[in-house]
Amino acid sequence: MIKDTLSARGVSRRYDDTTVVEDVSLKLKPGLITALLGGSGAGKSTLLRLFAGLEPVDAGEIWLGERALSKPGMTIAPDKRHIGLIFQDFALFPHLTAEQNVMFGLKALGKEAATAEARSWLERLDLTARAGAYPHELSGGEQQRVAIARALAPKPAAILMDEPFSGLDPALRSYVRDAALEAVRAAGIPALLVTHDPLEALESADHVAILKSGHLLQEGPAEEMYLQPRSADVAAALGPVNVMMADEVPAGLIDVPAGSQLVVRPEGILVEDSSPSRAQVVASQLSGGMTRLVLDMAGRRLIALVPRAGAPGAGHEIGIRLDPALSFIFPSAQV
Ligand code: ADP
């Protein structure tokens, strides 16, 4: 069966005098997970709520395939959209077991078929042994997997997830996320993942859209967004960056036209002993599997992320070079 694209076409949403989503167009394609990334208050949840029909649009339209779901003055109710929703707080029915929660949306099937379908979803999410447990007997990660199973079991036309993993213990988060998103991907439907975590967006989404102050800054495949940001804001949204105006860039490091801005990712600063660009190592700390260096270069602080093996310690003088693939020059100050 051909699945439909869920799209926002020039949507805006205002509260009183403040426009929190402005003229946003975004296509959620079937089979792709699109991460909607941005800081707190960027308008991510509001855009998700416009897709879901939990809020009306003030301008623009929401479409599912050939069907208009929202226009100014017309909002198809959330339960008529056949779109699955997942929130941070799981929102399971407390008086129903895991299996009964998943069966909830399957009433049209009849008891026997609904039970079989619910069990197959629980199995896919590695929850078979927990089928009879009530929500209060389940861990956060288990509850969220039940919520995902419950959302996907009725075969929704799309799924919208608002920070679904941010309430989970970091040690469990990536396991739950991988299991949940594998099931979402297998469903082959449009999927939106709202997150404020750039690593989560890059690790788990196929497509990334960046929202700032209600505006969509850029969207594209995750790797393209990381390697070809169109602005300093986009580069900064996807991970840590070093930012310098042209006149702050130490001579010999890289040519930056006057008035432009240099943005370099920490892993774009390479240690190269023979380089004439010298820097002092102010601090050298473990950061995950890498080493994070705080460098002083002619009075400028730079953060570098280098392989742990052979990383210089604090107090050393080193030569550095920039990796052109991770160094970006933009016309004017934007961060
Ligand atoms: P995000 O999900 O990116 O953190 P939100 O979409 O929740 O951002 O909110 C965007 C802006 O809209 C925020 O400034 C928030 O305070 C405001 N906002 C959200 N919901 C309402 C509401 N119901 N009434 C008034 N302002 C709201």
Side-chain angles (χ1 to χ4, degrees), residues 6-56:
L6 181 61
S7 50
R9 304 183 184 172
V11 293
S12 297
R13 176 68 176 148
R14 284 182 283 279
Y15 296 116
D16 304 322
D17 289 344
T18 320
T19 302
V20 298
V21 169
E22 187 156 18
D23 194 17
V24 169
S25 295
L26 180 63
K27 280 189 180 157
L28 308 179
K29 300 210 176 101
L32 291 190
I33 295 176
T34 300
L36 184 58
L37 179 65
S40 174
K44 305 181 298 295
S45 293
T46 303
L47 182 57
L48 178 142
R49 294 166 64 81
L50 296 179
F51 275 119
L54 293 164
E55 310 242 357

Side-chain angles (χ1 to χ4, degrees), residues 271-285:
V271 177
E272 195 174 81
D273 280 339
S274 61
S275 169
S277 298
R278 311 305 292 175
Q280 288 291 327
V281 180
V282 177
S284 174
Q285 306 136 336

Side-chain angles (χ1 to χ4, degrees), residues 12-174:
S12 297
R13 176 68 176 148
R14 284 182 283 279
Y15 296 116
D16 304 322
D17 289 344
T18 320
T19 302
V20 298
V21 169
E22 187 156 18
D23 194 17
V24 169
S25 295
L26 180 63
K27 280 189 180 157
L28 308 179
K29 300 210 176 101
L32 291 190
I33 295 176
T34 300
L36 184 58
L37 179 65
S40 174
K44 305 181 298 295
S45 293
T46 303
L47 182 57
L48 178 142
R49 294 166 64 81
L50 296 179
F51 275 119
L54 293 164
E55 310 242 357
V57 294
D58 292 314
E61 298 172 355
I62 303 284
W63 286 71
L64 179 64
E66 301 291 300
R67 182 176 173 225
L69 300 180
S70 299
K71 293 183 177 190
M74 188 283 280
T75 309
I76 304 238
D79 57 334
K80 300 279 187 300
R81 296 188 174 206
H82 206 46
I83 289 176
L85 298 173
I86 309 275
F87 296 99
Q88 188 181 333
D89 61 4
F90 322 136
L92 298 177
F93 302 114
H95 58 290
L96 299 181
T97 63
E99 184 173 298
Q100 289 164 342
N101 263 281
V102 180
M103 285 174 70
F104 186 81
L106 300 174
K107 289 186 181 131
L109 290 183
K111 185 133 193 274
E112 211 168 299
T115 307
E117 188 68 17
R119 286 189 181 159
S120 90
W121 278 102
L122 289 170
E123 191 184 331
R124 282 168 90 157
L125 286 148
D126 203 13
L127 286 163
T128 301
R130 310 297 283 139
Y134 287 88
H136 73 270
E137 298 169 325
L138 298 170
S139 70
E142 288 169 339
Q143 288 185 57
Q144 195 57 307
R145 281 182 286 143
V146 174
I148 301 263
R150 185 180 62 176
L152 291 175
K155 298 195 169 50
I159 187 156
L160 306 173
M161 301 171 275
D162 196 349
E163 302 270 3
F165 312 116
S166 48
L168 301 176
D169 189 330
L172 269 178
R173 195 176 299 152
S174 53

